Amino acid sequence: MPVDIHGILLLDKPLGLSSAGAVARVKRLFDARKAGHTGSLDPLASGLLPICFGEATKFGTQLLEADKTYRVTLRLGERTPSSDRESEVIETRALPPFSREELQHALSAFPREYQQIPPMRSALKQDGKPLYEYARAGITRERAARAITIHELELLDWQTPDLSFDVRCTKGAYIRVLAEDLATQLGTIGHLAALRRLSVAPFVTEPQWPFEALEALSLEERRRVLLPVDAALSAWRRFDLPAGGVSALRQGQSLDVAVELPGMVRIYAADLGFLGLGEIQAPGFLKPLRLISAATNRA
């Protein structure tokens, strides 16, 4: 019988598996009642897929909003309708003899503040239907460009016709669109040949767990690899709440606190640990925003 467990798993998702399929498999492995991923990876992509269990699902938005780093292989000189390997090549072009210096210059010159038009083959909805349903019917809809920030583009390798690079960017970026746009900047066409997510802030150096490693562990050992519920919230300032304020906070009351600096905070209490997220508002009031259940603190 599935049980309530709480924490975050850093799953190394394999190729060929959807994010929803990965969550279902993880729930069975951990015998967990509630779990959800925090930013999907297509079946053709591998790498880091944070999965939140139990009370950690309340804070999944912080991971959805986080910067992400990808390792990209862009195949130049070939175009596909889906911008990746999901569909067949429909156009080819001969490539000039690009030098590594030319490619490095193209990456360096690519706009860092970037207006990206989402692809038709995406889950974004218009009039209640995902865009990919329109695409399957041969219908193209107008899509508003979205502001994307590219923090880093690092050239890794160039083996004609494949260009490999790492990119760190803000949420919501479609890497296959980035790949096509980069090919356009190089004066040619291209599509995404391979994609691996390396990190989701703040998880940069922490171990990632492939299914093979998880399956080799006992159920008790698997649950010990989970990160704590508050592991994704390190960017928020810590606030330690006096024990006398815990009950009122859990009832949704704002508390008078001796703190002048406003802003979002992680709330902790002695002997209870992490309580949730709140906002300190001038002049010195703590407003609860999202709290974990009292039963979690007792567990």
Side-chain angles (χ1 to χ4, degrees):
M1 189 73 178
V3 299
D4 289 321
I5 61 173
H6 311 284
I8 301 172
L9 172 69
L10 301 184
L11 178 70
D12 185 350
K13 188 190 81 67
L15 291 170
L17 183 65
S18 70
S19 295
V23 171
R25 188 170 168 185
V26 162
K27 284 178 71 175
R28 290 193 296 270
L29 273 175
F30 283 79
D31 196 21
R33 182 172 288 122
K34 183 178 182 181
H37 66 74
T38 58
S40 64
L41 274 177
D42 290 341
L44 292 177
S46 65
L48 178 56
L49 183 66
I51 296 181
C52 295
F53 291 87
E55 292 294 287
T57 60
K58 293 180 176 179
F59 311 102
T61 300
Q62 278 63 43
L63 290 171
L64 287 171
E65 301 283 329
D67 289 352
K68 298 171 178 65
T69 303
Y70 298 90
R71 181 150 294 167
V72 183
T73 300
L74 163 59
R75 179 154 297 168
L76 295 172
E78 297 180 352
R79 183 169 71 86
T80 72
S82 61
S83 307
D84 57 19
R85 293 187 294 109
E86 188 178 10
S87 54
E88 296 296 320
V89 173
I90 58 172
E91 181 184 357
T92 61
R93 291 186 194 175
L95 292 176
F98 289 122
S99 68
R100 189 178 179 93
E101 289 72 24
E102 288 175 306
L103 296 171
Q104 181 63 64
H105 176 75
L107 290 175
S108 299
F110 195 86
R112 268 27 185 188
E113 300 297 328
Y114 168 44
Q115 294 292 319
Q116 187 182 78
I117 298 176
M120 279 299 302
R121 298 196 183 206
S122 69
L124 292 177
K125 290 187 176 181
Q126 286 192 8
D127 299 328
K129 289 173 58 177
L131 287 174
Y132 63 75
E133 291 190 9
Y134 294 107
R136 288 170 181 167
I139 300 170
T140 300
R141 301 291 299 263
E142 290 292 323
R143 289 99 65 205
R146 305 197 298 181
I148 302 297
T149 299
I150 306 295
H151 297 298
E152 295 179 39
L153 276 170
E154 180 186 356
L155 175 64
L156 298 177
D157 194 24
W158 167 237
Q159 300 289 334
T160 308
D162 290 340
L163 171 63
S164 298
F165 60 93
D166 285 352
V167 56
R168 183 169 66 88
C169 54
T170 53
K171 68 163 187 170
Y174 286 92
I175 304 302
R176 52 202 155 105
V177 175
L178 169 65
E180 279 195 325
D181 291 345
L182 182 57
T184 299
Q185 182 161 311
L186 286 164
T188 186
I189 55 178
H191 69 275
L192 185 65
L195 180 65
R196 179 169 177 78
R197 185 190 282 163
L198 301 179
S199 69
V200 176
F203 304 123
V204 176
T205 60
E206 291 81 357
Q208 300 176 25
W209 291 87
F211 278 112
E212 295 78 7
L214 292 171
E215 289 165 348
L217 302 176
S218 68
L219 178 58
E220 183 179 346
E221 289 170 331
R222 280 179 212 136
R223 290 177 177 172
R224 283 203 295 266
V225 310
L226 295 182
L227 300 177
V229 169
D230 60 339
L233 308 174
S234 57
W236 294 50
R237 185 160 42 106
R238 177 179 176 127
F239 177 78
D240 289 290
L241 181 69
V246 172
S247 178
L249 186 83
R250 283 180 167 158
Q251 294 174 34
Q253 299 177 27
S254 292
L255 304 177
D256 189 358
V257 295
V259 176
E260 295 182 1
L261 184 63
M264 306 299 184
V265 292
R266 296 172 286 145
I267 308 170
Y268 296 81
D271 301 326
L272 293 175
F274 177 64
L275 299 178
L277 298 179
E279 181 181 7
I280 295 179
Q281 302 173 330
F285 285 96
L286 173 63
K287 177 183 177 181
L289 296 178
R290 186 167 290 270
L291 304 179
I292 65 174
S293 71
T296 306
N297 291 127
R298 292 194 297 266

